[in-house]
Amino acid sequence: MDLTERFTGELGEETDFDSVKNAIESVDVFFSGLLKKDAGEKECLQFFFKDEKAAQPNENYFDIMDFWKVIEPYVWKWSGEDIKDFWIIRAMKEVEAVREVEKYNRILDQETEEHLYTLRKMSESIEDMPKKGTALQLCRKENADKIEVVYSLKYFDEQCYHPYREFIMQKLYVLLKNSGRLLVTTSQDEYFMYQMEHFKWKRDRLANKDAYKICISREDSAIRKGLIAGFVYDELK
């Protein structure tokens, strides 16, 4: 589809909001000619996956994800309203949802019941927090309190389906399996430090002054690492 090439060619050297939006709109018009806006779920899956049941990506999937990597630095701070009318972004969200669910289901199929129980209990301890805000993944080695990734917990609720929850569950699984630390914040000015290693975990309340020192070090790059394709930060925070 050459979506990236079309975008960069249309954008040129301009980087202002209107120029980027116009370039995306140009790509959106082209994409709409390949996959109609009224396409059903089955047609969308067939367009992006070799085997829609196993969610095996084809060239179209990789092309649209490459396109996201190129536009993400420009759009990640935009509002959800700024991108909601682009069919290519809506389609991207749909296929990303399928992929996130498929990747998490793979973990559920392959892991032991004991490990999955541990993962579930830890995730529930986060889900059950009143007014939870963000989960900050911290470095494991040098600069131990440096924030590596920021995850919004807005949709981290088993009762509220959202692909971003599956995305976070995958990250929790990796941290729980390989070891890691997570600082969970709430809007009630409470902070909890999770320490994980080899499917064991503990949670301790962190003093506000210590939590503040960590939180003020948050950088834009850490926020961007916590996004998934098709979603800007405004939609997740």
Side-chain angles (χ1 to χ4, degrees), residues 122 125-138 153 172 180-196 201-208 210-212 214-215:
M122 186 182 72
S125 75
I126 298 175
E127 286 185 1
D128 293 341
M129 284 186 192
K131 298 185 179 180
K132 53 188 175 290
T134 57
L136 312 176
Q137 181 179 330
L138 306 181
L153 297 176
L172 290 180
R181 295 187 308 144
L182 204 66
L183 175 61
V184 177
T185 74
T186 76
S187 61
Q188 294 180 320
D189 224 17
E190 293 181 318
Y191 303 87
F192 298 90
M193 182 69 77
Y194 283 76
Q195 299 189 57
M196 299 156 273
W201 63 279
K202 68 174 184 175
R203 183 181 83 173
D204 297 302
R205 185 161 181 169
L206 194 65
N208 286 17
D210 295 326
Y212 292 158
I214 297 174
C215 292

Side-chain angles (χ1 to χ4, degrees), residues 114-125:
E114 180 182 2
H115 289 167
L116 292 177
Y117 175 79
T118 303
L119 175 62
R120 185 173 70 254
K121 295 303 290 184
M122 186 182 72
S123 67
E124 287 175 351
S125 75

Side-chain angles (χ1 to χ4, degrees), residues 60 160 162 202:
N60 291 337
C160 174
H162 195 281
K202 68 174 184 175

Side-chain angles (χ1 to χ4, degrees), residues 145-180:
D145 288 337
K146 179 178 173 60
I147 300 171
E148 283 192 330
V149 190
V150 176
Y151 303 107
S152 168
L153 297 176
K154 178 179 179 179
Y155 294 107
F156 197 64
D157 186 338
E158 194 172 16
Q159 304 305 315
C160 174
Y161 170 75
H162 195 281
Y164 195 65
R165 180 183 182 276
E166 268 68 19
F167 172 71
I168 296 178
M169 288 297 291
Q170 294 170 55
K171 303 304 180 183
L172 290 180
Y173 168 76
V174 172
L175 291 173
L176 191 58
K177 180 180 180 180
N178 299 327
S179 80

